[in-house]
Amino acid sequence: MNRCSSALSRAIARVTDSALGPHQTAVIRIGFSLTWLLFLLREFPHRQELYGPDGPWSWDLADQLVATNDAFTPLLWSDSQVWFEAVYALAVLWSLLLLLGWRTRTMSVLFMVGVLALQNRSVFMGDGGDNVLHLMSVYLVFTRCGQVWSLDARRARRAAEARARGERPRDRVGPLLWGVLGFLLVLATTAGRMDGDRFIPVLLWTVWTAQALWWLVGLRARTGQPRILLDVVANTVHNGALLVIMAEACLIYATAGWYKVQGSRWQDGTAVHYPLHLEYFSPWPALADLLSASGTMVMLVTYGTVAVQVAFPFTLFNRRVKNVLLAFMIMEHAVIAVVLGLPFFSLAMIAADAVFLPTAFLRRLGNLAARARGRLRPRGTSVPRPRPPAGPPAGMDPVEAAPAPGGVPSPRT
């Protein structure tokens, strides 16, 4: 009985004491924001046909569909061309800022708004990767995805160094950004633009209120206990969202694999041959012909794809086997991006796969990137080694990172 209670206590402490998988969530943040950013930039010349007022899926048709399914999309708040261009430009900007990790808590919410605004405007545009991006943009809101590899992490580190020198850093951008977004949220709500499905409006108001509470506690609380409680809640929500992301990735592969098992072409080992010879999926016909020239190779790839997708959720209990299958799936998506001409679908799936990458591998990857960045710096410039943070966790939103009065340090995450 004592063993069970102690094990349960350790599990609860692990879930509440820290935000797990900081490197994995950072890769997810970078991967999905980069995927959406590249898609928006590539389709910029065709944005009118895809999401604009004069597209094949007209504004009136989209408005009728949204009236029935209550989807959230600010693009239907007005049929003005100026409004469309502004929303599209803001979606590009929010993706870039989330990629850089600037105010990640706020940018994750705005990134979600940009994704939903465009995708719910034209629901028939996409290649499968848009569904993954749609879901993950919502899940990212609940994560603390800026703990590492972000501008937030660098700012939190510098704030900790300033406090160690006896200074008291102040954040003016965070409260200002919070006030502006709150004003816009009030305008949208009072104008009746949030009358559809209640999930997104409730989520927006909840995050906005939580940010205010976090900042006020850090500014006014006389002890560190209220801040510790909020930190525990944030860690629990983050870890729950990370678990949902992992379960979603497993569900995607499991359902795809079991549906393939039921298909006759997958059963006889010829399914991979057909998309290689469809004009729509053949940007490199010569390469497709080369890959489909061997019937044995086509059969092995067909059966291997089904086996890996069905087996992957069960391999999570064995780290070595999981890593092997994960490498195979990432390589498979890279081949799909090139051979079938589906780069954004492949990028979205690789970003989803990144949640299972080993922490040691991601740390080595980060160290290599840091060394490469150091080599690109001009000679003669020295970068001081940062001290260990003595305050809030790295990557925390500046509103979250407001120091508690009396110099009470925030809990480690």
Side-chain angles (χ1 to χ4, degrees):
M1 189 66 180
N2 292 334
R3 289 184 178 179
C4 293
S5 60
S6 60
L8 181 61
S9 299
R10 287 195 299 269
I12 294 175
R14 180 172 175 79
V15 171
T16 59
D17 183 59
S18 62
L20 303 177
H23 295 83
Q24 285 80 0
T25 49
V27 171
I28 293 174
R29 184 200 84 232
I30 295 171
F32 282 107
S33 58
L34 179 63
T35 300
W36 187 237
L37 176 63
L38 293 178
F39 174 79
L40 294 178
L41 293 178
R42 192 196 72 168
E43 300 298 342
F44 185 80
H46 313 290
R47 64 192 184 281
Q48 296 291 343
E49 292 80 5
L50 292 175
Y51 306 110
D54 299 327
W57 186 248
S58 66
W59 192 92
D60 292 332
L61 289 175
D63 187 54
Q64 294 176 28
L65 179 61
V66 169
T68 59
N69 62 12
D70 292 330
F72 175 82
T73 170
L75 267 185
L76 294 181
W77 293 356
S78 172
D79 59 355
S80 168
Q81 179 66 26
V82 176
W83 176 249
F84 165 73
E85 297 291 353
V87 172
Y88 197 95
L90 286 174
V92 173
L93 177 62
W94 295 335
S95 302
L96 177 61
L97 293 178
L98 183 63
L99 173 65
L100 298 176
W102 185 80
R103 314 278 169 171
T104 51
R105 179 68 69 185
T106 301
M107 286 306 123
S108 63
V109 176
L110 296 178
F111 174 75
M112 176 194 69
V113 171
V115 171
L116 298 182
L118 293 173
Q119 289 192 354
N120 288 339
R121 162 63 177 85
S122 299
V123 295
F124 301 108
M125 302 296 176
D127 53 15
D130 58 314
N131 295 326
V132 179
L133 184 63
H134 188 113
L135 293 171
M136 294 300 177
S137 67
V138 178
Y139 300 153
L140 273 175
V141 174
F142 298 93
T143 65
R144 308 177 83 168
C145 55
Q147 297 179 99
V148 297
W149 301 338
S150 67
L151 296 179
D152 282 354
R154 185 181 67 175
R155 184 172 56 254
R157 185 171 60 247
R158 290 178 176 178
E161 293 173 356
R163 283 192 295 271
R165 295 191 300 266
E167 303 174 4
R168 182 163 181 166
R170 290 181 175 272
D171 175 44
R172 294 180 176 86
V173 177
L176 177 62
L177 186 61
W178 173 85
V180 171
L181 294 178
F183 175 73
L184 296 176
L185 192 56
V186 169
L187 286 181
T189 303
T190 55
R193 303 302 185 181
M194 303 284 192
D195 293 340
D197 182 66
R198 305 308 301 171
F199 174 73
I200 297 300
V202 169
L203 177 60
L204 295 177
W205 276 110
T206 301
V207 175
W208 184 80
T209 305
Q211 288 293 91
L213 179 62
W214 199 293
W215 180 72
L216 288 175
V217 167
L219 187 66
R220 301 294 183 183
R222 296 181 179 276
T223 66
Q225 297 303 320
R227 184 58 176 270
I228 292 175
L229 176 61
L230 292 180
D231 208 41
V232 167
V233 173
N235 290 335
T236 304
V237 171
H238 165 93
N239 295 329
L242 186 61
L243 179 62
V244 170
I245 292 174
M246 297 172 69
E248 187 70 41
C250 291
L251 186 63
I252 290 172
Y253 283 116
T255 53
W258 285 111
Y259 272 112
K260 287 181 175 66
V261 167
Q262 302 173 43
S264 59
R265 293 295 175 262
W266 290 96
Q267 293 175 5
D268 61 24
T270 61
V272 173
H273 171 82
Y274 296 100
L276 293 175
H277 294 279
L278 292 175
E279 183 178 358
Y280 182 79
F281 294 110
S282 298
W284 316 100
L287 181 59
D289 293 338
L290 178 63
L291 294 177
S292 61
S294 172
T296 303
M297 181 62 66
V298 170
M299 182 187 67
L300 291 176
V301 173
T302 301
Y303 288 150
T305 299
V306 176
V308 168
Q309 290 184 349
V310 172
F312 179 74
F314 303 99
T315 64
L316 299 181
F317 302 101
N318 188 303
R319 183 176 301 178
R320 293 183 178 179
V321 177
K322 181 263 296 183
N323 291 339
V324 171
L325 292 188
L326 188 61
F328 179 84
M329 289 191 298
I330 292 176
M331 181 179 64
E332 180 184 33
H333 288 305
V335 172
I336 290 174
V338 176
V339 177
L340 298 183
L342 297 172
F344 302 110
F345 166 78
S346 298
L347 280 176
M349 291 308 303
I350 291 174
D353 294 340
V355 72
F356 300 106
L357 289 174
T359 301
F361 170 77
L362 293 177
R363 285 177 175 172
R364 286 196 294 268
L365 194 64
N367 292 335
L368 291 175
R371 292 175 186 174
R373 183 182 60 184
R375 292 173 183 173
L376 295 177
R377 292 180 182 275
R379 293 185 178 181
T381 60
S382 60
V383 180
R385 299 182 64 181
R387 300 177 183 178
M396 187 182 298
D397 192 277
V399 174
E400 303 173 5
V408 179
S410 299
R412 179 182 61 84
T413 59

